[in-house]
Amino acid sequence: NLVAKEYVAAHDDDQGVLQTLERMLGALGWRAALASRRGAFEQMLATSPPDLIIMDVSLPDTDAVDLIR
């Protein structure tokens, strides 16, 4: 395995998507932190920067492109 699997932060307004990501990433050995709201996601990023970010790009309370910049 060439990549050390560590920590993923995921942001989506659909709880079903977040639950699926958590199951799939966990099965692959990743530790996942999930947020359905922008404020919670920003706090996660500030507290513990992830190795990978997975985001829905069309969220009602977030401009994903601006948030990632």
Side-chain angles (χ1 to χ4, degrees), residues 6-51:
E6 296 291 334
Y7 169 56
V8 178
H11 182 24
D12 198 298
D13 59 329
D14 185 327
Q15 290 295 326
V17 169
L18 291 175
Q19 290 171 354
T20 299
L21 282 170
E22 184 175 39
R23 281 193 311 273
M24 292 175 66
L25 292 167
L28 294 170
W30 288 86
R31 182 172 50 95
L34 312 171
S36 60
R37 298 277 181 191
R38 179 183 180 133
F41 186 67
E42 288 175 320
Q43 185 174 19
M44 284 182 348
L45 296 179
T47 302
S48 182
D51 299 298

